[in-house]
Amino acid sequence: MEYGKVLRFHRVKQGLTQNQLAEGIISPAYLSKIENDQTVPAFEVLELLYERLGLDFHDSSNSHPSKEKLKEWYEAIVFKDKEKARALKDELLQEKETHNNHHLYIYFELFRIRYLLLEDEVEKAYEVWKSLKQHRDTFDEEMEFYYHLVVGLLQYSSGRFEESFQSLMQAKNHSASITLMLMDWEVSDLYYVLGLSTSQASQISASVFYIDQALEIYQSRYDLEKSAECHILQGINYSKLKNYAKSLENYNVARKIALQTNSRKQLNLVYTNIGTLESRLGNRQSAISNYIKSINYFDYDDTRYKKSSLLPTIHGLILEHYRIGDYDGASKWIQKGNEELKYLKSESYYLHFNFYKLLINNDDSLESHLEDILIPYFQQRREYNYIIRYSMVLADLLEKKRMYKKSSEYLRLAIQLLNKHSHLGGILL
């Protein structure tokens, strides 16, 4: 047992200095050596230090029953079983060891970060992470694995995809030394989140590789739901690689699985992404048809899910109706989108919907709206596909006014970004 790490953890947690803990027992310098595992003191000394911290010297958590319950909780979180995760969290909070035992407390807090992300409480998750960082030097290899994994997920939730990938790779490196401690579902989960981060960071070939690794494990477990998620992501990846046949093949596999499992959420996602694919191919009516199918499968009271799926689908319908010259149809979906925004509060989609309203109405403020609000907003968020789209619209408007120099600046911006960021995304769970 790593007594030094345990002592330091509880000393810091209780707000004690080394002088306060060591007083009357040993010197602060000797305590520092113990905490840094530079010496092994007599058991009598350890017992006195533990007693001062209110700890049981003979307690061991490595095979503690609560550790098994923690892992059960973590599994429920990973598989997004919110009801079970909430129940187990409440049970763990009632157990004294969860708060007082060094190992159990660290694991609880690490897993709680991911639980809070599942509950869409991102700010609270960051607070837990900031508090947990002070105990980093007490972590063992297994804790380091989970730490880098949840940090990667935190970064992903904030749109910092490259940083997310780097953190997840550190988790992967730590996993090599704790292979026997990890369940197969944890390995597949690591590959899946690596696939997510690399897909969003435009490292598409890497994403295809990681998702294939995850899919192999999910299929061996006959986990149909997770397998469908993998096929949806692979559909997005192959679409980005412009291998549209392979993309559609993966979407159709995901659709078959979702029909088999009666997963309305996955059917919703499949049809949304097929609609996006058909849009890229210029098949307007097919895109609209698939977007409508997607909406017909949408019946979830989940704010985060609505923001990530319903609003993009409505946006797609507005765009496709506008492209075929059906301005009444586009206006109908703008109205529907604005009704949803009363409850969902998304500045991005408010700007998207308002843009098409101004465009359809030939509003005189459209040019300044693009130049002063829309393009700077998406530049700040690094959403390159929208910077490209709106820059090209602005360039066209400026050209019609014979403002050729300014028009060429925005056209050049769009072309530069097209060359650098040629991939367009999809919609994920």
Side-chain angles (χ1 to χ4, degrees):
M1 184 173 178
E2 298 171 312
Y3 296 108
K5 289 183 178 180
V6 174
L7 286 170
R8 187 189 185 285
F9 166 79
H10 284 285
R11 177 180 63 76
V12 172
K13 188 180 176 186
Q14 295 180 27
L16 298 176
T17 65
Q18 287 183 331
N19 287 342
Q20 289 171 322
L21 177 57
E23 186 178 3
I25 302 175
I26 52 175
S27 70
Y30 190 51
L31 175 59
S32 178
K33 287 185 177 182
I34 295 172
E35 288 187 348
N36 290 301
D37 294 321
Q38 294 174 353
T39 186
V40 179
F43 282 170
E44 292 81 0
V45 171
L46 286 172
E47 285 182 311
L48 289 171
L49 293 170
Y50 268 59
E51 184 180 348
R52 179 160 290 175
L53 290 167
L55 305 175
D56 180 0
F57 174 65
H58 300 288
D59 176 57
S60 173
S61 62
N62 288 326
S63 59
H64 199 288
S66 291
K67 176 85 177 285
E68 297 303 315
K69 184 175 285 187
L70 277 164
K71 290 299 286 282
E72 184 183 356
W73 181 44
Y74 184 64
E75 184 175 7
I77 295 167
V78 169
F79 285 92
K80 301 177 183 178
D81 187 343
K82 288 188 177 182
E83 186 175 341
K84 184 177 181 180
R86 288 165 183 163
L88 286 169
K89 180 205 67 172
D90 292 339
E91 288 180 29
L92 287 161
L93 284 172
Q94 296 301 315
E95 295 185 7
K96 179 182 175 183
E97 291 85 353
T98 302
H99 307 281
N100 297 336
N101 183 289
H102 164 244
H103 281 77
L104 300 180
Y105 176 83
I106 293 294
Y107 285 118
F108 179 81
E109 292 296 275
L110 286 168
F111 298 164
R112 187 158 74 102
I113 292 173
R114 190 157 184 179
Y115 170 77
L116 290 167
L117 290 176
L118 176 65
E119 296 285 10
D120 199 25
E121 297 187 59
V122 179
E123 289 185 11
K124 286 186 180 179
Y126 267 101
E127 289 173 10
V128 175
W129 169 64
K130 289 174 184 177
S131 175
L132 196 58
K133 282 198 299 182
Q134 67 181 320
H135 303 301
R136 277 292 304 283
D137 57 359
T138 71
F139 286 8
D140 58 25
E141 197 73 13
E142 188 179 5
M143 293 171 183
E144 286 288 341
F145 164 75
Y146 290 115
Y147 176 79
H148 288 294
L149 180 60
V150 296
V151 168
L153 291 171
L154 274 173
Q155 292 164 331
Y156 183 91
S157 70
S158 302
R160 292 148 55 200
F161 303 122
E162 185 59 43
E163 293 175 46
S164 171
F165 169 60
Q166 295 301 327
S167 294
L168 292 171
M169 281 303 295
Q170 290 187 62
K172 185 174 181 295
N173 292 338
H174 284 288
S175 72
S177 60
I178 59 167
T179 303
L180 296 177
M181 299 181 186
L182 296 177
M183 304 295 289
D184 60 350
W185 58 265
E186 293 186 274
V187 177
S188 56
D189 174 63
L190 174 60
Y191 282 127
Y192 182 76
V193 294
L194 274 166
L196 280 176
S197 66
T198 46
S199 181
Q200 294 289 5
S202 295
Q203 299 181 39
I204 312 304
S205 296
S207 182
V208 169
F209 169 78
Y210 289 126
I211 295 302
D212 276 344
Q213 299 298 305
L215 182 58
E216 184 177 343
I217 299 173
Y218 289 135
Q219 288 176 332
S220 70
R221 288 168 50 89
Y222 301 100
D223 190 329
L224 295 178
E225 185 173 352
K226 285 291 186 179
S227 295
E229 287 184 25
C230 287
H231 282 294
I232 291 171
L233 183 51
Q234 290 297 53
I236 293 169
N237 283 333
Y238 282 112
S239 178
K240 290 177 179 179
L241 292 171
K242 296 182 172 60
N243 188 340
Y244 301 124
K246 191 74 172 176
S247 174
L248 189 58
E249 177 186 326
N250 274 277
Y251 288 144
N252 282 330
V253 172
R255 181 176 59 84
K256 288 178 182 178
I257 294 173
L259 286 169
Q260 183 179 344
T261 59
N262 195 30
S263 174
R264 294 180 63 84
K265 181 177 282 190
Q266 288 186 335
L267 286 167
N268 164 259
L269 285 167
V270 167
Y271 284 119
T272 293
N273 281 295
I274 293 177
T276 302
L277 175 61
E278 296 288 9
S279 175
R280 293 192 72 181
L281 292 170
N283 301 327
R284 307 300 173 207
Q285 292 297 343
S286 181
I288 289 171
S289 174
N290 280 285
Y291 284 142
I292 295 294
K293 286 179 183 177
S294 170
I295 295 235
N296 289 339
Y297 279 106
F298 200 103
D299 55 8
Y300 296 92
D301 187 20
D302 182 330
T303 299
R304 183 174 64 171
Y305 182 61
K306 281 186 175 181
K307 283 184 178 181
S308 67
S309 181
L310 179 60
L311 293 180
T313 304
I314 292 173
H315 185 205
L317 282 162
I318 295 168
L319 176 60
E320 295 308 311
H321 279 285
Y322 178 81
R323 282 172 168 169
I324 62 174
D326 180 8
Y327 301 144
D328 288 339
S331 297
K332 182 190 78 171
W333 286 107
I334 290 170
Q335 182 179 352
K336 171 65 175 173
N338 285 328
E339 288 172 2
E340 294 293 340
L341 285 175
K342 292 176 184 177
Y343 309 100
L344 299 179
K345 308 298 181 187
S346 169
E347 185 176 1
S348 295
Y349 284 99
Y350 168 78
L351 291 173
H352 288 315
F353 300 160
N354 190 51
F355 162 75
Y356 285 102
K357 182 179 179 181
L358 295 175
L359 186 63
I360 290 169
N361 294 330
N362 293 313
D363 196 292
D364 292 337
S365 67
L366 179 59
E367 181 185 319
S368 61
H369 185 71
L370 282 162
E371 189 170 7
D372 301 333
I373 298 174
L374 267 179
I375 294 173
Y377 175 82
F378 290 108
Q379 282 177 322
Q380 185 178 10
R381 293 171 63 90
R382 298 181 181 179
E383 294 188 35
Y384 302 111
N385 51 336
Y386 296 125
I387 302 170
I388 293 166
R389 181 181 297 174
Y390 292 128
S391 293
M392 292 181 75
V393 172
L394 181 55
D396 187 54
L397 289 173
L398 292 167
E399 185 181 19
K400 288 176 181 177
K401 290 187 173 183
R402 298 184 179 181
M403 300 173 68
Y404 300 120
K405 183 178 179 181
K406 204 171 183 180
S407 172
S408 65
E409 290 175 3
Y410 282 101
L411 186 59
R412 193 180 307 115
L413 171 62
I415 292 171
Q416 287 173 346
L417 291 175
L418 273 169
N419 290 333
K420 190 174 181 181
H421 305 280
S422 60
H423 309 306
L424 294 177
I427 308 301
L428 294 165
L429 282 170

